[in-house]
Amino acid sequence: MRLGTSSTAPRLYLTRPSAVLAAVSVSTLPACRAQRKARRTVCRPVAVQRTAVAADDAPGPEGFPSESLGNFQSSQPRRAVPKPTPTHLRKVVLGVLQLSAVVGLLILGPARFHSDHIPTRVWQAAALYCTFFGFGGLRRTLKYGQLSSRKNDAQVSTWAGKRAIVIFVVLIVIGHESVITRYCKHKGSFAELFRLPVLRYLPALLLPAALALHVWATETLGKAYDRLVVPDRLVRYGPYAWCQHPIYTSYMMLFCGTALWFGCEEYCLWMLYFCWRYFKGRVQTEAKLLQQAFGNEYIAYKEHTGSFLPRLF
Protein backbone atom coordinates (compact mmCIF):
# COMPACT_ATOMS: atom_id res chain seq x y z
CA MET A 1 0.00 0.00 0.00
CA ARG A 2 2.84 2.31 0.79
CA LEU A 3 4.49 1.37 -2.47
CA GLY A 4 1.35 2.20 -4.43
CA THR A 5 1.02 5.50 -2.64
CA SER A 6 4.62 6.33 -3.35
CA SER A 7 4.22 5.33 -7.02
CA THR A 8 1.13 7.46 -7.61
CA ALA A 9 2.43 10.58 -5.87
CA PRO A 10 5.14 11.35 -8.38
CA ARG A 11 2.69 10.67 -11.17
CA LEU A 12 0.35 13.36 -9.81
CA TYR A 13 3.33 15.64 -9.31
CA LEU A 14 4.33 15.30 -13.00
CA THR A 15 0.91 15.53 -14.61
CA ARG A 16 -0.30 18.66 -12.86
CA PRO A 17 2.38 21.04 -14.25
CA SER A 18 2.03 19.51 -17.72
CA ALA A 19 -1.67 20.15 -17.67
CA VAL A 20 -1.06 23.74 -16.64
CA LEU A 21 1.49 24.20 -19.45
CA ALA A 22 -0.88 22.66 -21.98
CA ALA A 23 -3.62 25.04 -20.95
CA VAL A 24 -1.30 28.03 -21.17
CA SER A 25 0.02 26.97 -24.59
CA VAL A 26 -3.52 26.51 -25.95
CA SER A 27 -4.53 29.93 -24.71
CA THR A 28 -1.45 31.67 -26.18
CA LEU A 29 -1.38 29.78 -29.50
CA PRO A 30 -3.00 32.55 -31.62
CA ALA A 31 -0.61 35.17 -30.21
CA CYS A 32 2.44 33.00 -30.93
CA ARG A 33 1.29 32.41 -34.48
CA ALA A 34 0.88 36.14 -35.00
CA GLN A 35 4.35 36.82 -33.60
CA ARG A 36 5.94 34.19 -35.85
CA LYS A 37 4.17 35.60 -38.89
CA ALA A 38 5.31 39.12 -38.05
CA ARG A 39 8.87 37.88 -37.46
CA ARG A 40 8.94 36.18 -40.86
CA THR A 41 7.63 39.34 -42.53
CA VAL A 42 10.34 41.46 -40.92
CA CYS A 43 13.24 39.09 -41.49
CA ARG A 44 12.50 38.09 -45.07
CA PRO A 45 13.81 41.34 -46.69
CA VAL A 46 17.03 41.05 -44.69
CA ALA A 47 17.63 37.56 -46.08
CA VAL A 48 16.81 38.76 -49.58
CA GLN A 49 19.19 41.67 -49.13
CA ARG A 50 22.01 39.40 -47.88
CA THR A 51 21.48 37.04 -50.80
CA ALA A 52 21.57 39.90 -53.29
CA VAL A 53 24.72 41.33 -51.73
CA ALA A 54 26.42 37.94 -51.79
CA ALA A 55 25.41 37.40 -55.42
CA ASP A 56 26.55 40.80 -56.62
CA ASP A 57 29.60 40.85 -54.30
CA ALA A 58 28.91 44.54 -53.69
CA PRO A 59 26.50 46.58 -51.55
CA GLY A 60 23.47 48.32 -52.98
CA PRO A 61 23.30 51.95 -54.05
CA GLU A 62 23.06 53.18 -50.46
CA GLY A 63 24.76 50.26 -48.72
CA PHE A 64 21.90 49.95 -46.18
CA PRO A 65 18.19 49.11 -46.40
CA SER A 66 15.53 51.73 -45.81
CA GLU A 67 14.25 52.56 -42.35
CA SER A 68 11.37 50.08 -42.54
CA LEU A 69 12.65 46.56 -43.08
CA GLY A 70 9.17 45.37 -43.91
CA ASN A 71 8.94 47.81 -46.82
CA PHE A 72 12.52 47.36 -48.04
CA GLN A 73 13.05 48.97 -51.41
CA SER A 74 16.23 50.11 -53.09
CA SER A 75 16.53 53.87 -53.36
CA GLN A 76 17.74 53.48 -56.96
CA PRO A 77 16.35 50.92 -59.41
CA ARG A 78 18.75 48.29 -60.66
CA ARG A 79 20.05 49.22 -64.14
CA ALA A 80 18.86 46.82 -66.78
CA VAL A 81 21.71 45.47 -68.87
CA PRO A 82 20.71 45.60 -72.54
CA LYS A 83 20.94 42.26 -74.27
CA PRO A 84 22.90 42.28 -77.53
CA THR A 85 20.69 41.77 -80.54
CA PRO A 86 21.77 40.28 -83.87
CA THR A 87 21.49 43.72 -85.46
CA HIS A 88 23.69 45.19 -82.73
CA LEU A 89 26.31 42.47 -83.18
CA ARG A 90 26.32 42.99 -86.93
CA LYS A 91 26.93 46.69 -86.40
CA VAL A 92 29.85 45.93 -84.08
CA VAL A 93 31.41 43.50 -86.57
CA LEU A 94 30.91 46.03 -89.35
CA GLY A 95 32.56 48.70 -87.18
CA VAL A 96 35.60 46.49 -86.57
CA LEU A 97 35.94 45.82 -90.30
CA GLN A 98 35.62 49.52 -91.09
CA LEU A 99 38.24 50.39 -88.49
CA SER A 100 40.64 47.81 -89.93
CA ALA A 101 40.04 49.15 -93.45
CA VAL A 102 40.66 52.76 -92.34
CA VAL A 103 43.91 51.92 -90.54
CA GLY A 104 45.08 49.80 -93.47
CA LEU A 105 44.24 52.53 -95.98
CA LEU A 106 45.83 55.38 -94.03
CA ILE A 107 48.85 53.77 -92.33
CA LEU A 108 49.72 50.18 -93.23
CA GLY A 109 48.82 50.19 -96.93
CA PRO A 110 51.21 52.96 -98.07
CA ALA A 111 54.04 51.52 -95.95
CA ARG A 112 53.60 48.02 -97.38
CA PHE A 113 53.42 49.36 -100.92
CA HIS A 114 56.70 51.33 -100.69
CA SER A 115 58.66 49.01 -98.40
CA ASP A 116 59.06 45.27 -98.03
CA HIS A 117 59.42 45.59 -94.28
CA ILE A 118 56.96 47.78 -92.37
CA PRO A 119 58.90 50.00 -89.93
CA THR A 120 58.23 49.89 -86.21
CA ARG A 121 57.02 53.47 -86.13
CA VAL A 122 54.35 52.63 -88.71
CA TRP A 123 53.08 49.77 -86.54
CA GLN A 124 53.00 52.12 -83.55
CA ALA A 125 51.01 54.66 -85.55
CA ALA A 126 48.56 51.92 -86.61
CA ALA A 127 48.07 50.88 -82.98
CA LEU A 128 47.50 54.51 -82.02
CA TYR A 129 44.87 54.99 -84.72
CA CYS A 130 43.09 51.76 -83.71
CA THR A 131 42.95 52.95 -80.11
CA PHE A 132 41.84 56.43 -81.10
CA PHE A 133 39.01 55.42 -83.40
CA GLY A 134 38.14 52.40 -81.27
CA PHE A 135 37.34 54.64 -78.32
CA GLY A 136 35.17 56.72 -80.63
CA GLY A 137 32.41 55.26 -82.75
CA LEU A 138 33.16 51.59 -82.03
CA ARG A 139 33.05 51.99 -78.25
CA ARG A 140 29.92 54.11 -78.53
CA THR A 141 28.22 51.37 -80.59
CA LEU A 142 29.19 48.70 -78.06
CA LYS A 143 27.93 50.71 -75.10
CA TYR A 144 24.85 52.54 -76.39
CA GLY A 145 23.82 50.78 -79.58
CA GLN A 146 23.91 51.86 -83.19
CA LEU A 147 24.09 55.48 -84.32
CA SER A 148 21.17 57.45 -85.67
CA SER A 149 20.06 56.84 -89.22
CA ARG A 150 22.21 58.45 -91.89
CA LYS A 151 19.07 59.94 -93.40
CA ASN A 152 18.69 62.17 -90.33
CA ASP A 153 22.21 63.57 -90.65
CA ALA A 154 21.94 67.28 -91.37
CA GLN A 155 25.18 67.38 -93.34
CA VAL A 156 24.35 64.44 -95.58
CA SER A 157 20.92 65.90 -96.40
CA THR A 158 22.46 68.49 -98.77
CA TRP A 159 24.69 68.02 -101.81
CA ALA A 160 27.15 70.60 -100.48
CA GLY A 161 27.56 68.58 -97.28
CA LYS A 162 28.08 65.34 -99.20
CA ARG A 163 30.67 67.01 -101.42
CA ALA A 164 32.50 68.38 -98.37
CA ILE A 165 32.67 64.92 -96.79
CA VAL A 166 34.03 63.32 -99.99
CA ILE A 167 36.68 66.03 -100.42
CA PHE A 168 37.72 65.76 -96.77
CA VAL A 169 38.11 61.97 -96.93
CA VAL A 170 40.11 62.14 -100.16
CA LEU A 171 42.46 64.79 -98.77
CA ILE A 172 42.95 62.83 -95.53
CA VAL A 173 43.90 59.71 -97.49
CA ILE A 174 46.27 61.64 -99.78
CA GLY A 175 47.90 63.39 -96.83
CA HIS A 176 48.53 60.19 -94.89
CA GLU A 177 49.81 58.37 -97.97
CA SER A 178 52.22 61.20 -98.70
CA VAL A 179 53.47 61.25 -95.12
CA ILE A 180 54.02 57.48 -94.88
CA THR A 181 55.58 57.30 -98.36
CA ARG A 182 58.04 60.06 -97.60
CA TYR A 183 59.00 58.47 -94.31
CA CYS A 184 59.62 55.06 -95.87
CA LYS A 185 61.75 56.52 -98.68
CA HIS A 186 63.79 58.96 -96.58
CA LYS A 187 64.09 57.08 -93.30
CA GLY A 188 67.43 57.79 -91.63
CA SER A 189 68.27 60.62 -94.03
CA PHE A 190 70.38 63.67 -93.22
CA ALA A 191 67.32 65.92 -92.93
CA GLU A 192 65.65 63.60 -90.44
CA LEU A 193 68.69 63.30 -88.20
CA PHE A 194 69.19 67.05 -87.92
CA ARG A 195 65.63 68.16 -87.27
CA LEU A 196 64.92 70.73 -84.61
CA PRO A 197 64.49 69.20 -81.14
CA VAL A 198 61.16 70.99 -80.80
CA LEU A 199 59.77 69.29 -83.89
CA ARG A 200 61.22 65.98 -82.78
CA TYR A 201 59.62 65.94 -79.34
CA LEU A 202 56.40 67.82 -80.09
CA PRO A 203 54.56 64.66 -81.29
CA ALA A 204 55.27 63.06 -77.90
CA LEU A 205 53.00 65.75 -76.44
CA LEU A 206 50.42 66.09 -79.22
CA LEU A 207 49.54 62.43 -79.78
CA PRO A 208 48.89 61.39 -76.14
CA ALA A 209 47.01 64.65 -75.59
CA ALA A 210 44.86 63.97 -78.67
CA LEU A 211 44.03 60.46 -77.45
CA ALA A 212 43.23 61.63 -73.92
CA LEU A 213 41.05 64.51 -75.15
CA HIS A 214 39.18 62.24 -77.55
CA VAL A 215 38.45 59.61 -74.89
CA TRP A 216 37.40 62.28 -72.39
CA ALA A 217 35.08 64.04 -74.84
CA THR A 218 33.40 60.88 -76.16
CA GLU A 219 32.89 59.57 -72.62
CA THR A 220 31.35 62.91 -71.60
CA LEU A 221 28.94 62.91 -74.54
CA GLY A 222 27.86 59.31 -74.00
CA LYS A 223 24.92 58.50 -76.21
CA ALA A 224 24.92 62.06 -77.60
CA TYR A 225 28.10 61.18 -79.53
CA ASP A 226 26.21 60.64 -82.75
CA ARG A 227 25.80 61.85 -86.28
CA LEU A 228 24.84 65.46 -86.97
CA VAL A 229 21.37 65.23 -85.39
CA VAL A 230 19.64 67.15 -82.61
CA PRO A 231 20.77 65.71 -79.23
CA ASP A 232 18.50 65.14 -76.24
CA ARG A 233 20.49 67.52 -74.05
CA LEU A 234 23.11 70.25 -74.27
CA VAL A 235 26.35 69.00 -72.73
CA ARG A 236 28.12 71.81 -70.84
CA TYR A 237 30.50 69.95 -68.52
CA GLY A 238 33.79 68.12 -68.88
CA PRO A 239 35.85 69.40 -71.83
CA TYR A 240 32.70 71.07 -73.19
CA ALA A 241 32.88 73.58 -70.37
CA TRP A 242 35.86 75.20 -72.15
CA CYS A 243 35.31 74.57 -75.87
CA GLN A 244 32.37 73.53 -78.00
CA HIS A 245 34.03 70.90 -80.20
CA PRO A 246 36.88 69.10 -78.40
CA ILE A 247 36.45 66.01 -80.60
CA TYR A 248 37.28 68.02 -83.72
CA THR A 249 40.27 69.45 -81.88
CA SER A 250 41.47 65.93 -81.05
CA TYR A 251 41.25 64.97 -84.76
CA MET A 252 43.41 67.92 -85.78
CA MET A 253 45.92 67.15 -83.02
CA LEU A 254 46.09 63.50 -84.16
CA PHE A 255 46.70 64.29 -87.83
CA CYS A 256 49.21 67.06 -87.15
CA GLY A 257 51.05 64.99 -84.53
CA THR A 258 51.27 62.05 -86.94
CA ALA A 259 52.74 64.24 -89.68
CA LEU A 260 55.33 65.64 -87.27
CA TRP A 261 56.11 62.17 -85.94
CA PHE A 262 57.06 61.02 -89.43
CA GLY A 263 59.12 64.15 -90.13
CA CYS A 264 56.74 65.95 -92.53
CA GLU A 265 56.25 69.47 -91.20
CA GLU A 266 54.76 70.85 -94.43
CA TYR A 267 52.09 68.13 -94.48
CA CYS A 268 51.31 68.99 -90.88
CA LEU A 269 50.33 72.55 -91.89
CA TRP A 270 48.49 71.27 -94.94
CA MET A 271 46.31 68.80 -92.99
CA LEU A 272 45.71 71.38 -90.27
CA TYR A 273 44.40 73.81 -92.89
CA PHE A 274 41.93 71.56 -94.68
CA CYS A 275 40.77 69.99 -91.37
CA TRP A 276 40.02 73.48 -90.11
CA ARG A 277 38.11 74.32 -93.31
CA TYR A 278 36.02 71.16 -93.17
CA PHE A 279 35.22 71.34 -89.46
CA LYS A 280 34.36 75.02 -89.75
CA GLY A 281 31.53 74.25 -92.20
CA ARG A 282 30.36 71.35 -90.05
CA VAL A 283 30.34 73.57 -86.96
CA GLN A 284 28.10 76.10 -88.71
CA THR A 285 25.55 73.41 -89.58
CA GLU A 286 25.67 72.05 -86.04
CA ALA A 287 25.22 75.54 -84.56
CA LYS A 288 21.97 76.01 -86.48
CA LEU A 289 20.56 72.74 -85.18
CA LEU A 290 21.52 73.46 -81.56
CA GLN A 291 20.19 77.00 -81.66
CA GLN A 292 16.85 75.80 -82.98
CA ALA A 293 16.67 73.10 -80.33
CA PHE A 294 17.94 74.95 -77.23
CA GLY A 295 17.54 78.64 -78.10
CA ASN A 296 18.95 81.10 -75.56
CA GLU A 297 20.67 78.37 -73.59
CA TYR A 298 22.91 77.53 -76.53
CA ILE A 299 23.50 81.22 -77.32
CA ALA A 300 24.71 81.86 -73.77
CA TYR A 301 26.89 78.76 -73.91
CA LYS A 302 28.36 79.80 -77.25
CA GLU A 303 29.30 83.27 -75.96
CA HIS A 304 31.41 81.87 -73.10
CA THR A 305 33.25 79.09 -74.98
CA GLY A 306 35.45 78.84 -78.05
CA SER A 307 34.89 76.58 -81.03
CA PHE A 308 38.09 74.49 -81.04
CA LEU A 309 40.17 76.04 -78.25
CA PRO A 310 39.20 77.53 -74.87
CA ARG A 311 38.35 81.21 -74.97
CA LEU A 312 40.97 83.06 -72.98
CA PHE A 313 39.16 86.40 -72.74
Side-chain angles (χ1 to χ4, degrees):
M1 186 68 182
R2 184 177 300 175
L3 182 61
T5 305
S6 62
S7 62
T8 56
R11 196 179 306 154
L12 292 175
Y13 179 77
L14 292 175
T15 54
R16 287 180 181 178
S18 62
V20 173
L21 291 176
V24 172
S25 61
V26 171
S27 62
T28 59
L29 184 60
C32 294
R33 289 178 178 175
Q35 290 179 0
R36 286 197 299 270
K37 184 178 181 180
R39 192 178 297 109
R40 286 196 301 268
T41 305
V42 172
C43 296
R44 186 180 295 115
V46 178
V48 172
Q49 182 194 9
R50 291 176 180 174
T51 305
V53 171
D56 296 338
D57 199 17
E62 297 294 335
F64 297 95
S66 59
E67 294 180 357
S68 175
L69 290 178
N71 298 324
F72 172 74
Q73 293 180 354
S74 175
S75 60
Q76 297 180 0
R78 187 180 297 273
R79 181 181 298 177
V81 179
K83 297 181 179 180
T85 60
T87 305
H88 187 194
L89 295 178
R90 284 197 299 269
K91 290 290 183 180
V92 172
V93 174
L94 182 61
V96 173
L97 295 178
Q98 289 177 350
L99 178 59
S100 303
V102 167
V103 175
L105 183 63
L106 296 179
I107 306 296
L108 297 178
R112 187 67 182 88
F113 182 76
H114 295 283
S115 177
D116 296 334
H117 175 70
I118 298 179
T120 305
R121 187 173 298 186
V122 176
W123 284 111
Q124 293 173 352
L128 175 65
Y129 272 57
C130 288
T131 307
F132 186 91
F133 292 109
F135 273 97
L138 184 59
R139 181 171 179 267
R140 193 268 182 204
T141 304
L142 285 171
K143 192 172 183 180
Y144 299 103
Q146 59 184 356
L147 301 175
S148 299
S149 176
R150 193 177 295 273
K151 298 179 181 178
N152 299 328
D153 195 329
Q155 190 176 13
V156 181
S157 60
T158 60
W159 283 105
K162 294 179 181 178
R163 185 174 64 250
I165 293 176
V166 172
I167 294 174
F168 174 73
V169 171
V170 171
L171 291 177
I172 285 292
V173 173
I174 293 176
H176 281 79
E177 184 177 359
S178 302
V179 168
I180 300 298
T181 301
R182 179 176 174 179
Y183 173 76
C184 292
K185 288 184 176 181
H186 303 283
K187 180 183 177 182
S189 62
F190 181 82
E192 183 185 359
L193 294 176
F194 288 92
R195 292 174 61 199
L196 294 175
V198 176
L199 299 178
R200 188 179 301 175
Y201 297 111
L202 186 58
L205 298 176
L206 279 178
L207 294 177
L211 179 60
L213 180 60
H214 188 73
V215 173
W216 187 20
T218 53
E219 182 65 23
T220 302
L221 280 182
K223 192 177 181 179
Y225 179 55
D226 205 344
R227 292 191 172 97
L228 205 56
V229 296
V230 178
D232 298 334
R233 55 192 174 88
L234 182 63
V235 180
R236 303 179 61 177
Y237 54 91
Y240 292 90
W242 290 281
C243 62
Q244 303 169 27
H245 307 282
I247 294 181
Y248 300 159
T249 305
S250 67
Y251 275 103
M252 289 187 280
M253 293 171 63
L254 175 70
F255 296 151
C256 294
T258 302
L260 291 176
W261 194 21
F262 288 104
C264 302
E265 292 81 5
E266 62 276 11
Y267 287 104
C268 169
L269 299 176
W270 180 46
M271 286 196 287
L272 180 62
Y273 173 72
F274 64 72
C275 282
W276 176 77
R277 288 292 302 270
Y278 170 74
F279 288 133
K280 183 180 178 181
R282 187 176 175 88
V283 162
Q284 293 176 355
T285 305
E286 187 174 351
K288 295 179 182 179
L289 292 178
L290 295 177
Q291 187 169 353
Q292 293 176 0
F294 301 102
N296 295 329
E297 183 182 0
Y298 174 72
I299 295 176
Y301 168 70
K302 187 177 179 181
E303 291 177 353
H304 294 85
T305 54
S307 294
F308 304 112
L309 296 175
R311 181 170 293 182
L312 301 178
F313 53 88

